[in-house]
Amino acid sequence: MHMRFIRTLLFLLVMLSMSAASFAQIGISINFAPPELPVYEQPLCPGDGYLWTPGYWAYADDDYYWVPGTWVMAPEVGLLWTPAYWGWGGNGFVFYDGYWGPHVGFYGGISYGYGYFGEGYEGGRWDNGQFFYNRSVNNVSVTNIHNVYNTTVVNSTAVNRVSYNGGNGGISARPRPQEEAAAREKHIPAVAVQTQHAQAARTNPDQRASVNHGKPAVAATPKPGAFKDRAVVPAKAAGAPYTPPANRGAVQPAANTPAAHPENRAARPDKPAQPTTRPETNRAPTAQPTTRPETNRPEPAQRSQTPPPSERSQPQRTPPPAETKRPAEERERPQPGAQKPEEKKRKDEHPKKDEKPPQ
């Protein structure tokens, strides 16, 4: 009984870890919505076994950038791709990464097109270890690929280019029971070529929304990383006019980065405050020398504002012209001094002599 209990407990822990991984997300939260999906054509499927992965807006370096849609070889037979999507997380837009699994899970109700119309996948299916393509929604050449079929897909959802779920103006879709069940299945994350594909888009300035304004020059590629291939497809138009907010890099929610970085992003709003205080401390020393001389030398500060340089230079360099000004000053200054009696006599004598002639 004890061993059965331990096995049951371990099984439950494994199931919980799998379900948690299935709902895993890249821990990045942005305070403004991603641009709408651009309008573009799907490039020709390069060969049998390739599955379409739709393009999406990713975020890095204070800007959204477009990761082109591309054809990717399935990592295992029977696996399908669940696209990435953005969803409102309460105080910011959260990015949910895509994954490979036996069934297509919830991807926000986003209508990416080419089989991904918000629910499930209508672009093809696995049958006896071989993938069959639906030519009604995929660009497939029958000369190269023979495992095809034609099934018209009726898109019941409203046609729009919105690229996020929830929030102001977002898609209001919620996971269906089968999508919740798919989320609890075993998943495989994006393969290496997909990661490299996304990294190439990140390092390409032309893919940034602030540069292309929602209309990327490379909207889709025939294979991952083939940004300069002849079959590269540019966007026909932007989903809607896009103008990046001016403060897109300044204000960020607390949980703003992938897993290891939420604390770093949370600290960034505090760090900009430190640089603002540091320059103040740097400026303060410049302000202190100005205030210190004023407090320590209030009188010279007043004299230095207008006459100090002139007064100090005039008495030393030009005493003769200043003699006419000095007697007036000396007559005023000596009055409080000890030479009052002598100066009074001189003043009395001089004025009397001076006053008599004019009379």
Side-chain angles (χ1 to χ4, degrees):
M1 294 294 292
H2 183 67
M3 292 298 296
R4 289 181 181 178
F5 175 77
I6 294 177
R7 290 177 181 176
T8 304
L9 181 61
L10 291 174
F11 177 76
L12 291 175
L13 290 174
V14 171
M15 291 300 296
L16 288 174
S17 62
M18 289 174 60
S19 62
S22 65
F23 286 103
Q25 67 194 39
I26 296 179
I28 183 170
S29 179
I30 312 302
N31 62 350
F32 62 100
E36 294 194 4
L37 301 173
V39 181
Y40 64 94
E41 296 291 339
Q42 183 187 58
L44 186 67
C45 181
D48 192 8
Y50 281 86
L51 272 65
W52 177 249
T53 61
Y56 61 93
W57 290 105
Y59 187 90
D61 305 324
D62 301 329
D63 197 3
Y64 285 102
Y65 63 95
W66 178 254
V67 179
T70 189
W71 291 96
V72 179
M73 181 70 71
E76 294 180 11
V77 174
L79 296 185
L80 299 172
W81 175 250
T82 296
Y85 73 98
W86 290 91
W88 177 250
N91 57 347
F93 291 94
V94 181
F95 182 76
Y96 296 84
D97 205 356
Y99 57 86
W100 294 94
H103 299 91
V104 175
F106 182 68
Y107 51 93
I110 312 301
S111 181
Y112 290 106
Y114 305 112
Y116 296 97
F117 300 110
E119 295 180 354
Y121 178 57
E122 303 292 342
R125 61 175 182 266
W126 287 97
D127 189 1
N128 294 325
Q130 195 171 19
F131 189 79
F132 285 76
Y133 299 85
N134 186 357
R135 290 191 62 202
S136 66
V137 295
N138 281 318
N139 185 10
V140 179
S141 173
V142 293
T143 57
N144 298 327
I145 301 175
H146 304 287
N147 43 319
V148 297
Y149 65 95
N150 249 321
T151 299
T152 303
V153 178
V154 179
N155 186 8
S156 59
T157 60
V159 178
N160 59 58
R161 312 300 299 176
V162 178
S163 60
Y164 59 93
N165 177 278
N168 186 13
I171 305 297
S172 59
R174 292 294 177 266
R176 299 174 300 166
Q178 55 267 40
E179 291 171 332
E180 292 179 350
R184 292 189 291 268
E185 296 174 339
K186 182 181 178 180
H187 297 154
I188 295 178
V191 294
V193 291
Q194 290 177 282
T195 303
Q196 296 168 2
H197 181 72
Q199 183 62 23
R202 177 178 177 175
T203 56
N204 189 339
D206 294 334
Q207 297 301 108
R208 297 190 172 276
S210 60
V211 176
N212 57 50
H213 302 287
K215 184 184 175 182
V218 180
T221 64
K223 290 183 180 181
F227 283 73
K228 296 182 179 180
D229 193 279
R230 293 180 179 179
V232 162
V233 177
K236 290 182 177 180
Y242 175 74
T243 302
N247 62 342
R248 63 185 184 275
V251 181
Q252 296 268 347
N256 262 3
T257 52
H261 300 278
E263 295 180 356
N264 296 339
R265 284 278 181 130
R268 286 185 183 177
D270 298 336
K271 290 180 180 177
Q274 290 176 355
T276 54
T277 54
R278 289 178 182 173
E280 290 177 359
T281 55
N282 295 336
R283 293 179 183 175
T286 57
Q288 287 176 358
T290 56
T291 54
R292 288 179 183 174
E294 291 178 0
T295 54
N296 297 337
R297 299 179 181 177
E299 297 178 354
Q302 296 175 355
R303 294 178 183 176
S304 62
Q305 290 176 355
T306 51
S310 58
E311 288 182 355
R312 291 178 183 176
S313 59
Q314 286 177 358
Q316 294 177 357
R317 296 180 181 178
T318 57
E323 288 178 356
T324 56
K325 296 181 180 179
R326 284 184 180 177
E329 297 177 354
E330 290 176 357
R331 290 173 186 176
E332 294 175 359
R333 293 180 181 175
Q335 289 177 357
Q339 297 178 351
K340 289 181 180 178
E342 297 176 359
E343 291 179 357
K344 287 181 180 179
K345 292 178 181 181
R346 293 176 182 176
K347 291 178 182 178
D348 295 337
E349 294 174 358
H350 290 292
K352 290 178 181 179
K353 293 177 182 180
D354 298 334
E355 289 175 357
K356 289 178 182 180
Q359 288 176 354

